[in-house]
Amino acid sequence: MTQKTTLVHLQSEIESSLTGLVKDHRPDELYDSVRYVISGGGKRLRPVLLLLSAKIFDVSIKRAMPLGLAVELIHNFSLVHDDIMDHADSRRGRKTVHVLWGIDTAILCGDVLLALASECISQASDSNQSHLTRVYGTMIRELCEGQALDMHIGLKPDLTTDDYLHMVDGKTGGLISASLEMGGIIGNVSSETCMVLREAGKSIGRAFQILDDLLDLVADDHRWGKVQGGDLIEGKGTYLLAESRLRSKGKDAEFFAKIRPGDGLSPDEIPVARSKMEALGVLYNARQQVQNYTNDALTKIKSISGNTEELEALITDMAQRIY
C-alpha cells in the first residue's frame, strides 16, 4: 500500500471501531451527545500514530485498536471540556456540545468519553497491562496540567517560549507521546525504546503546535477553515506572541504587550501584526523550529530497530501542512 492508502485504511478502521462503541447505548439524552462527538471526524492522527508505532513491532491493527480508540476518546474528552471552559460556540464547523445540549450534559458527555477510554485500555490483551495503565494515567494528568497552564499562560506579561513549550508538552505532546509509547508497550519493547518513542512524541507535539500557531496567522482562511489571525483576535498566548515579545522593542513591544485574553487585536490589526512578526524574524523562526523538532523526532524514530518508514512518512506529512 502507498502511504496515503495506508492512512486512509487506518482512518477507516478507526472510524468503524469508534462508531460501534456506543451504537446501542442508552439513555439517548446522554448518548446522543457522545455519538455526536464521536462522529465529528478529523484525521484521527493520534490513534494512527499509535497503530503505526505498534506496527513497527509486528502488532496487528486488531490487537492495538483498543489503545488507539482510548487515545482518540481522551482527545475528544479534552475538547468537549475545553469548549466549555473557553465558552466556544463551534468546533470544526459544528456547534459545540454545550451549545446543543447544555453545560450539564456536556460535562457528562466528557466524563463518558473518559470512561469509555478506560474500558478500551482494559480490553487491551497484554502482559504489560500495568505499564499501559500507568502511561494512560500519566497522559490524562499531563493533559489536564497542560490545559491548566493554557488557561493562564496568556496572562503572563513575561511569557517566554519555554513557558509556552512546557504547556505544549502536556496539552499536545502528552497524548502524542503516550500514543507512540503505548504502541511500543504492546509490542513488548524495552524501556529504553519506550523512552525513545516518548521523547519523539514530545518533539512531534512541539512541531505540531508551533505549526498550528503559524497556520492560524498565515494560512488562507478558506483552506484552513478558521478566521485568519484568530489567536491574536482572541488574545491567546501562542509561540508567535511569546517570541514577538522577546524580540520587540519600543512601540512594537507595546503593541504585543497589550495582547491579552479577552483583549486581543481587531481583524484590521492582523496584517499589521503579521508584518511586524515578519520583520522581527518570528515567522521564520517558527518555521525553523517546526523543522528542527520534526527532524529530532525522525532521528529518534529511525534509531529504533524495525520498519519505521510509514511512521516517518506520517511525521513528515504532519510538518508539511500547506500554508
Side-chain angles (χ1 to χ4, degrees):
M1 282 194 255
T2 64
Q3 171 65 17
K4 184 175 181 180
T5 303
T6 298
L7 182 60
V8 170
H9 173 66
L10 292 178
Q11 288 169 332
S12 176
E13 291 286 331
I14 292 164
E15 292 295 341
S16 177
S17 298
L18 281 171
T19 300
L21 282 177
V22 291
K23 184 178 180 181
D24 301 315
H25 282 50
R26 297 291 181 274
D28 288 339
E29 289 82 357
L30 171 60
Y31 281 97
D32 280 350
S33 66
V34 177
R35 286 186 279 267
Y36 177 79
V37 173
I38 288 176
S39 68
K43 295 181 179 179
R44 310 299 190 189
L45 288 174
R46 293 153 192 84
V48 169
L49 284 167
L50 191 150
L51 295 177
L52 290 180
S53 174
K55 189 177 180 181
I56 295 171
F57 313 110
D58 298 320
V59 177
S60 67
I61 293 176
K62 181 178 180 180
R63 185 165 164 236
M65 184 59 76
L67 300 178
L69 298 182
V71 296
E72 184 63 16
L73 289 165
I74 291 299
H75 174 55
N76 281 277
F77 143 77
S78 72
L79 298 182
V80 171
H81 282 189
D82 284 1
D83 287 340
I84 295 172
M85 289 183 276
D86 294 341
H87 308 288
D89 294 332
S90 64
R91 177 174 291 277
R92 296 173 183 164
R94 304 198 311 166
K95 291 183 179 179
T96 50
V97 175
H98 68 273
V99 168
L100 292 174
W101 282 275
I103 290 178
D104 292 347
T105 297
I107 292 172
L108 288 175
C109 174
D111 293 345
V112 167
L113 291 167
L114 178 60
L116 288 169
S118 299
E119 291 176 15
C120 288
I121 289 290
S122 71
Q123 292 167 12
S125 177
D126 193 84
S127 58
N128 295 313
Q129 186 68 46
S130 62
H131 193 179
L132 287 171
T133 303
R134 185 166 67 253
V135 171
Y136 170 74
T138 299
M139 170 181 67
I140 297 173
R141 175 175 55 77
E142 290 180 342
L143 181 63
C144 293
E145 290 170 354
Q147 174 61 13
L149 288 172
D150 192 31
M151 290 167 59
H152 302 287
I153 203 165
L155 297 170
K156 290 190 65 173
D158 56 346
L159 174 65
T160 68
T161 52
D162 285 343
D163 293 331
Y164 185 71
L165 292 173
H166 179 58
M167 179 276 292
V168 169
D169 289 344
K171 186 170 181 178
T172 305
L175 274 170
I176 294 175
S177 290
S179 297
L180 293 181
E181 186 175 3
M182 285 196 283
I185 294 170
I186 200 171
N188 294 311
V189 302
S190 66
S191 58
E192 290 78 12
T193 300
C194 280
M195 182 56 67
V196 170
L197 289 165
R198 184 167 188 80
E199 289 300 311
K202 181 177 176 180
S203 291
I204 294 169
R206 289 186 171 194
F208 188 87
Q209 188 58 57
I210 294 172
L211 180 54
D212 211 57
D213 293 349
L214 184 61
L215 287 170
D216 181 84
L217 182 62
V218 305
D220 181 280
D221 54 359
H222 296 294
R223 300 183 66 182
W224 180 229
K226 301 177 184 179
V227 176
Q228 195 172 63
D231 288 343
L232 290 172
I233 293 171
E234 293 177 17
K236 185 177 178 181
T238 65
Y239 182 87
L240 300 183
L241 181 58
E243 192 68 18
S244 296
R245 287 178 178 171
L246 175 66
R247 292 170 178 245
S248 59
K249 297 179 181 180
K251 290 186 177 180
D252 283 349
E254 294 175 8
F255 178 85
F256 291 113
K258 72 179 183 180
I259 301 172
R260 294 283 187 275
D263 188 22
L265 301 179
S266 68
D268 291 342
E269 291 177 296
I270 297 304
V272 176
R274 177 173 175 173
S275 178
K276 289 179 182 294
M277 288 182 176
E278 192 77 70
L280 290 167
V282 171
L283 303 187
Y284 175 79
N285 170 268
R287 294 184 181 101
Q288 287 299 113
Q289 289 301 318
V290 171
Q291 196 57 58
N292 291 342
Y293 283 120
T294 298
N295 289 342
D296 182 70
L298 290 171
T299 298
K300 287 180 169 63
I301 295 299
K302 288 176 181 178
S303 72
I304 296 171
S305 178
N307 186 352
T308 62
E309 289 183 4
E310 289 180 337
L311 182 55
E312 290 173 41
L314 178 58
I315 294 169
T316 301
D317 286 347
M318 288 172 67
Q320 293 179 343
R321 285 179 286 171
I322 298 173
Y323 57 87

